[in-house]
Each structure stands twice: as C-alpha cells, then as structure tokens.
Coordinates of all heavy atoms in Angstrom, one line a residue:
N46 N 0.8 -1.2 0.0 CA 0.0 0.0 0.0 C 0.8 1.3 0.0 O 0.5 2.2 0.6 CB -0.9 0.0 1.2 CG -2.4 -0.3 0.8 OD1 -2.8 -0.1 -0.3 ND2 -3.2 -0.6 1.7
G47 N 2.0 1.2 -0.7 CA 2.9 2.3 -0.8 C 3.8 2.7 0.5 O 4.5 3.6 0.5
V48 N 3.6 1.7 1.5 CA 4.4 1.9 2.7 C 5.5 0.8 2.8 O 5.2 -0.3 2.5 CB 3.5 1.8 4.0 CG1 4.3 1.9 5.3 CG2 2.3 2.8 4.0
E49 N 6.8 1.2 3.0 CA 7.9 0.3 3.2 C 7.8 -0.6 4.3 O 7.6 0.0 5.5 CB 9.2 1.1 3.1 CG 10.3 0.1 3.0 CD 11.7 0.9 2.8 OE1 11.6 2.1 2.5 OE2 12.7 0.1 2.8
V50 N 7.8 -1.9 4.0 CA 7.9 -2.8 5.2 C 9.1 -2.7 5.9 O 10.1 -2.7 5.3 CB 7.7 -4.3 4.6 CG1 7.8 -5.3 5.8 CG2 6.2 -4.4 4.0
G51 N 9.1 -2.6 7.2 CA 10.3 -2.4 8.0 C 10.6 -0.9 8.2 O 11.5 -0.6 9.1
G52 N 9.8 -0.1 7.6 CA 10.1 1.4 7.9 C 9.4 1.8 9.1 O 8.8 1.1 9.9
H53 N 9.4 3.1 9.4 CA 8.8 3.5 10.7 C 7.3 3.5 10.8 O 6.8 3.5 11.8 CB 9.3 5.0 10.9 CG 8.7 6.0 10.0 ND1 9.2 6.2 8.8 CD2 7.6 6.9 10.1 CE1 8.5 7.1 8.2 NE2 7.5 7.6 8.9
R54 N 6.6 3.3 9.6 CA 5.2 3.2 9.6 C 4.7 1.7 9.4 O 3.6 1.4 9.2 CB 4.7 4.0 8.4 CG 4.8 5.5 8.6 CD 4.0 6.3 7.6 NE 4.4 6.1 6.2 CZ 3.6 6.3 5.2 NH1 2.4 6.8 5.3 NH2 4.1 6.1 3.9
T55 N 5.6 0.7 9.6 CA 5.3 -0.6 9.5 C 4.1 -1.2 10.2 O 3.3 -1.9 9.9 CB 6.5 -1.6 9.7 OG1 7.5 -1.3 8.7 CG2 6.2 -3.0 9.5
Q56 N 4.0 -0.6 11.6 CA 3.0 -1.0 12.5 C 1.6 -0.9 11.9 O 0.8 -1.7 12.1 CB 3.1 -0.3 13.8 CG 2.2 -0.8 14.9 CD 2.4 -2.2 15.3 OE1 3.6 -2.6 15.3 NE2 1.4 -2.9 15.6
G57 N 1.5 0.0 11.0 CA 0.2 0.3 10.5 C -0.2 -0.7 9.5 O -1.4 -0.9 9.0
L58 N 0.8 -1.6 9.0 CA 0.6 -2.6 7.9 C 0.2 -3.9 8.6 O -0.4 -4.8 7.9 CB 1.9 -2.8 7.2 CG 2.4 -1.7 6.3 CD1 3.8 -2.1 5.6 CD2 1.4 -1.3 5.2
R59 N 0.4 -4.0 9.9 CA 0.1 -5.4 10.5 C -1.3 -5.8 10.3 O -1.5 -7.0 10.1 CB 0.4 -5.2 12.1 CG 1.8 -5.0 12.4 CD 2.9 -5.9 11.8 NE 4.2 -5.6 12.3 CZ 5.2 -6.1 11.9 NH1 5.1 -7.0 10.9 NH2 6.5 -5.8 12.3
R60 N -2.3 -4.8 10.4 CA -3.6 -5.4 10.3 C -4.0 -5.7 8.8 O -5.0 -6.5 8.5 CB -4.6 -4.2 10.8 CG -6.1 -4.5 10.8 CD -6.8 -3.5 11.5 NE -8.2 -3.9 11.5 CZ -9.2 -3.3 12.2 NH1 -8.8 -2.2 13.0 NH2 -10.4 -3.6 12.1
Q61 N -3.3 -5.1 7.9 CA -3.5 -5.3 6.5 C -3.1 -6.6 5.9 O -3.5 -7.2 4.9 CB -3.0 -4.2 5.6 CG -3.5 -2.8 6.0 CD -2.7 -1.7 5.2 OE1 -2.4 -1.9 4.2 NE2 -2.6 -0.5 5.9
M62 N -2.1 -7.3 6.7 CA -1.4 -8.5 6.2 C -1.5 -9.6 7.1 O -1.3 -9.4 8.4 CB 0.0 -8.2 5.9 CG 0.3 -7.1 4.9 SD 2.1 -7.0 4.6 CE 2.9 -6.6 6.1
Q63 N -2.0 -10.8 6.7 CA -2.1 -12.0 7.6 C -1.6 -13.3 6.8 O -1.8 -13.3 5.7 CB -3.5 -12.1 7.9 CG -4.1 -11.1 8.9 CD -3.4 -11.0 10.2 OE1 -3.3 -12.1 10.9 NE2 -3.1 -9.8 10.7
P64 N -0.9 -14.1 7.6 CA -0.5 -15.4 7.0 C -1.4 -16.6 7.4 O -2.1 -16.6 8.4 CB 0.9 -15.5 7.7 CG 0.6 -14.9 9.1 CD -0.4 -13.9 9.0
V65 N -1.4 -17.5 6.5 CA -2.0 -18.9 6.8 C -0.8 -19.9 6.4 O -0.5 -20.0 5.3 CB -3.3 -19.1 6.0 CG1 -3.7 -20.5 6.2 CG2 -4.4 -18.1 6.4
F66 N -0.3 -20.5 7.5 CA 0.9 -21.4 7.2 C 0.4 -22.9 7.0 O -0.7 -23.2 7.1 CB 1.9 -21.3 8.4 CG 2.5 -20.0 8.5 CD1 2.4 -19.1 9.7 CD2 3.3 -19.4 7.5 CE1 2.9 -17.9 9.7 CE2 3.8 -18.2 7.6 CZ 3.7 -17.5 8.7
Q67 N 1.5 -23.7 6.7 CA 1.3 -25.0 6.2 C 0.5 -25.9 7.2 O -0.4 -26.6 6.9 CB 2.6 -25.6 5.9 CG 2.5 -27.0 5.5 CD 4.0 -27.6 5.1 OE1 4.9 -26.8 5.0 NE2 4.0 -28.8 4.8
D68 N 1.0 -25.9 8.5 CA 0.5 -26.9 9.4 C -0.4 -26.2 10.4 O 0.0 -25.6 11.4 CB 1.7 -27.5 10.3 CG 1.3 -28.6 11.1 OD1 0.1 -28.9 11.4 OD2 2.2 -29.2 11.7
P69 N -1.8 -26.5 10.3 CA -2.7 -25.9 11.2 C -2.6 -26.2 12.6 O -2.9 -25.5 13.5 CB -4.0 -26.3 10.5 CG -3.8 -27.5 9.8 CD -2.4 -27.4 9.3
S70 N -2.1 -27.5 12.9 CA -2.0 -28.0 14.2 C -0.9 -27.1 15.0 O -1.1 -26.8 16.1 CB -1.5 -29.4 14.3 OG -2.6 -30.2 13.6
A71 N 0.2 -26.9 14.3 CA 1.3 -26.1 14.8 C 0.9 -24.6 15.1 O 1.4 -23.9 16.0 CB 2.6 -26.2 14.1

C-alpha cells in the first residue's frame, strides 16, 4: 500500500497483512 515494510510506519501494515501457514496444528 505504498508503505515500506520495515520502515517507521510498518506497524500500520500489521492489520492489512495476515499469514496462513502450512501446518494448522502447529
């Protein structure tokens, strides 16, 4: 969204991005 990941505004990106990983049990 035009904001650099790892930059000073990264915290605002946390809600916009989510992972779903391989092992649901873990």
Side-chain angles (χ1 to χ4, degrees):
N46 252 342
V48 177
E49 185 171 354
V50 176
H53 67 281
R54 292 192 294 161
T55 297
Q56 186 62 36
L58 296 176
R59 299 298 185 194
R60 184 170 181 171
Q61 300 175 33
M62 305 187 292
Q63 291 294 317
V65 175
F66 293 121
Q67 176 179 357
D68 185 355
S70 299

